[in-house]
Amino acid sequence: MLAIDVNNLNKKYKNFHLKDVCFQLEKGYIMGFIGTNGAGKTTTLKSILNMIHIDGGEINILGKNFIKHEMELKQEIGYAFGGIDYYTRNKIRQVTNVVKRFYKNWDEEAYFNYLKKFNLDENKKIVELSAGMRVNYNLALALSHGAKLLILDEPTSGLDPVARDNLLDIFQELVEEGEISILFSTHITSDLEKCADYITYINNGQIIKSSEKEEFINTYRLLNGGESQLHEVKDHLISYKINSFGFTGLIHTKDFDPSSNIKSTLPNLEEIMIYFSKKEEQHV
């Protein structure tokens, strides 16, 4: 079963267009949603949840049309956009007492188990929580009402390396049994190299590629060659940088001749994003 199935999602603003966005996430897996700031990550996630009125397209969650079954499906979804910025002077206990009234499957025992797991004191005020603790509290709320799908916008942003690593471990634990799926946006690509099963890359409102992580990376090669070799591949490069040794450039694997003398390596996710970003600069 597909946890998320997005088809031809469109949303037009005056200076930005989310154009024909399509991707799918299988149940029980983690998808990293990557792109530079302003690429359309948050707009896409909010459109999926009908927090933004879309101009066209279809969104199915857990096998059902989201617009037709919104109230039902929101019982199955946990989502977080940024930190908790409401009731900040209230204690965790007081905020939880408000939130849990909205969920028919709220499990009090599970909630207290997650508080313990995440080392959260329900008598602490929201304002007293660190960035990492706020993320964990959001997760505790989502998982305590039996969410089968987590949609998270930049959940690791602002966390220190240890807190980020702990959170990624939690993500991997959650999907182990195949019942929970996670879609989270981030610009910290190293996080995805550790925990993501799938990658969806959006650039300037359009999906560049969405696939299994290894397949995604294997689609590209990073070339390093002398200045005299640049003319051999220049027309096929996505973009390139000139350096003291010659050039470094990104190319689709299908466009590269491995018998050439140009050195090639697999890029990481960050390098793929950087060179696609340079493509726009070089074609202006």
Side-chain angles (χ1 to χ4, degrees):
M1 177 193 252
L2 293 176
I4 301 177
D5 185 8
V6 177
N7 289 294
N8 297 314
L9 174 61
N10 281 270
K11 177 63 182 177
K12 186 174 281 189
Y13 293 102
K14 184 178 180 180
N15 297 312
F16 179 76
H17 186 190
L18 208 59
K19 188 176 180 183
D20 299 328
V21 169
C22 298
F23 63 90
Q24 297 177 328
L25 172 61
E26 292 277 351
K27 184 181 177 183
Y29 292 95
I30 299 171
M31 174 178 281
F33 191 34
I34 65 172
T36 57
N37 290 334
K41 300 190 301 296
T42 300
T43 302
T44 300
L45 297 185
K46 287 187 174 181
S47 295
I48 289 172
L49 292 166
N50 201 28
M51 297 168 74
I52 292 173
H53 179 71
I54 63 174
D55 298 323
E58 185 176 351
I59 298 149
N60 292 294
I61 303 289
L62 302 172
K64 296 180 180 180
N65 181 280
F66 188 77
I67 301 299
K68 293 180 181 176
H69 301 274
E70 181 174 358
M71 297 309 294
E72 173 191 346
L73 288 170
K74 281 190 172 176
Q75 294 287 329
E76 304 286 329
I77 300 172
Y79 52 93
F81 291 82
I84 301 171
D85 54 7
Y86 51 87
Y87 300 133
T88 56
R89 294 291 170 184
N90 287 46
K91 294 179 179 179
I92 284 178
R93 171 171 44 81
Q94 294 168 310
V95 175
T96 300
N97 284 337
V98 173
V99 171
K100 71 182 185 181
R101 297 174 191 171
F102 293 95
Y103 296 102
K104 60 184 181 184
N105 294 323
W106 182 265
D107 186 332
E108 197 77 356
E109 183 179 353
Y111 170 68
F112 282 109
N113 285 339
Y114 282 115
L115 286 188
K116 185 176 180 180
K117 180 181 178 66
F118 298 149
N119 295 314
L120 293 169
D121 179 355
E122 68 166 347
N123 290 309
K124 270 200 168 187
K125 292 180 179 180
I126 299 298
V127 74
E128 297 172 332
L129 302 181
S130 68
M133 291 166 74
R134 291 187 187 208
V135 172
N136 287 345
Y137 178 50
N138 264 325
L139 282 177
L141 291 175
L143 296 167
S144 298
H145 66 79
K148 300 300 182 188
L149 172 63
L150 301 179
I151 297 179
L152 311 169
D153 191 23
E154 303 279 1
T156 59
S157 180
L159 303 189
D160 64 62
V162 173
R164 276 180 30 227
D165 190 66
N166 289 340
L167 184 61
L168 299 178
D169 285 342
I170 290 167
F171 285 172
Q172 290 178 303
E173 287 174 19
L174 290 174
V175 300
E176 273 181 5
E177 295 180 7
E179 290 300 313
I180 294 172
S181 314
I182 301 173
L183 169 65
F184 77 97
S185 73
T186 185
H187 59 270
I188 307 173
T189 54
S190 58
D191 289 350
L192 303 179
E193 283 157 2
K194 175 178 179 181
C195 76
D197 302 297
Y198 293 88
I199 301 292
T200 295
Y201 174 34
I202 190 169
N203 187 51
N204 197 27
Q206 294 181 278
I207 299 297
I208 300 298
K209 187 172 180 62
S210 182
S211 68
E212 187 272 331
K213 181 172 63 180
E214 300 307 318
E215 178 191 336
F216 184 97
I217 293 171
N218 276 308
T219 301
Y220 306 99
R221 289 293 185 274
L222 196 64
L223 306 187
N224 288 280
E227 193 173 341
S228 62
Q229 295 174 305
L230 179 58
H231 74 277
E232 298 176 28
V233 292
K234 186 175 180 180
D235 291 342
H236 295 293
L237 292 175
I238 293 166
S239 73
Y240 61 92
K241 294 180 182 180
I242 300 295
N243 52 48
S244 58
F245 302 101
F247 80 96
T248 302
L250 188 72
I251 193 170
H252 285 99
T253 303
K254 62 182 177 59
D255 293 331
F256 176 62
D257 180 2
S259 65
S260 74
N261 291 323
I262 302 173
K263 182 182 176 183
S264 74
T265 58
L266 280 176
N268 58 37
L269 293 172
E270 183 173 298
E271 288 167 333
I272 293 170
M273 283 179 57
I274 287 170
Y275 280 92
F276 264 99
S277 183
K278 285 192 69 65
K279 175 184 178 181
E280 293 181 357
E281 298 172 13
Q282 291 174 350
H283 288 79
V284 170

